[in-house]
Amino acid sequence: MTLALIAAVAANGVIGRDGRLPWHLPEDLRRFRELTTGHAIIMGRRTWESLPRALPGRQNIVVTRNASFRADGADVVASIEDALRAVVYPSPPFCIGGGELYRAALPYAQTAFVTEIARAFDGDATFPALDPAQWVETAREAHPPAGDRDFAYAFVTCERRDR
């Protein structure tokens, strides 16, 4: 089974601050919903706790080392490997974070859907750099600053190079 990563990443690698996104980008949230609906989403416990509820139309899978943790509307597993075995929705499953889980999932990923935010933000969670020797950009859709959004962004798709 192939795994996809999906993340919005600031110019300095930040993906979150205090369990929240440090920016407001409705276009990114819309893209996230369009790409992940009908698939499994794999997330860490802190990412799960940042959500108001299980995301509808998706198999929600939470990875945690806490064996007694329960998540209403989600499957709870102990590792990224267990998460991949638990997937019952069509491929690809999407790893949606946070930073620690992205690092654990990176060796299993074949595709990365990254929204590159062209501005640095303060934060406490980061996305692992995709090594250009292992990853190639296959698509880019750039968007300039607009309205009250003072930063540009790009929807970028990367694929793992042949191993």
Side-chain angles (χ1 to χ4, degrees):
M1 173 177 295
T2 64
L3 174 67
L5 308 177
I6 188 165
V9 183
N12 58 344
V14 165
I15 57 172
R17 180 181 59 226
D18 300 325
R20 302 184 59 103
L21 294 174
W23 51 77
H24 179 67
L25 189 55
E27 298 87 350
D28 176 59
L29 299 175
R30 188 170 23 263
R31 179 177 188 245
F32 175 89
R33 185 177 58 248
E34 289 170 359
L35 287 172
T36 63
T37 296
H39 298 274
I41 52 173
I42 302 169
M43 68 200 88
R45 178 191 49 80
R46 286 185 296 253
T47 298
W48 168 261
E49 290 173 344
S50 75
L51 300 174
R53 65 188 178 296
L55 296 182
R58 288 157 272 214
Q59 179 187 5
N60 290 245
I61 303 172
V62 180
V63 178
T64 179
R65 290 182 288 271
N66 180 345
S68 63
F69 184 78
R70 298 294 174 256
D72 188 35
D75 300 308
V76 178
V77 298
S79 68
I80 188 68
E81 296 84 4
D82 290 343
L84 292 171
R85 283 190 289 274
V87 170
V88 295
Y89 276 48
S91 194
F94 287 84
C95 178
I96 68 167
E100 187 178 331
L101 191 61
Y102 282 129
R103 281 180 259 300
L106 188 60
Y108 300 95
Q110 289 299 118
T111 306
F113 297 97
V114 179
T115 300
E116 291 181 351
I117 308 291
R119 187 176 132 197
F121 284 84
D122 290 332
D124 54 17
T126 59
F127 188 78
L130 298 179
D131 180 352
Q134 295 181 2
W135 293 86
V136 60
E137 184 178 308
T138 58
R140 174 175 290 268
E141 180 184 318
H143 299 270
D148 60 354
R149 181 179 36 80
D150 64 348
F151 57 87
Y153 67 94
F155 293 142
V156 180
T157 304
C158 296
E159 299 288 339
R160 186 177 291 278
R161 296 180 186 271
D162 292 337
R163 295 186 184 197

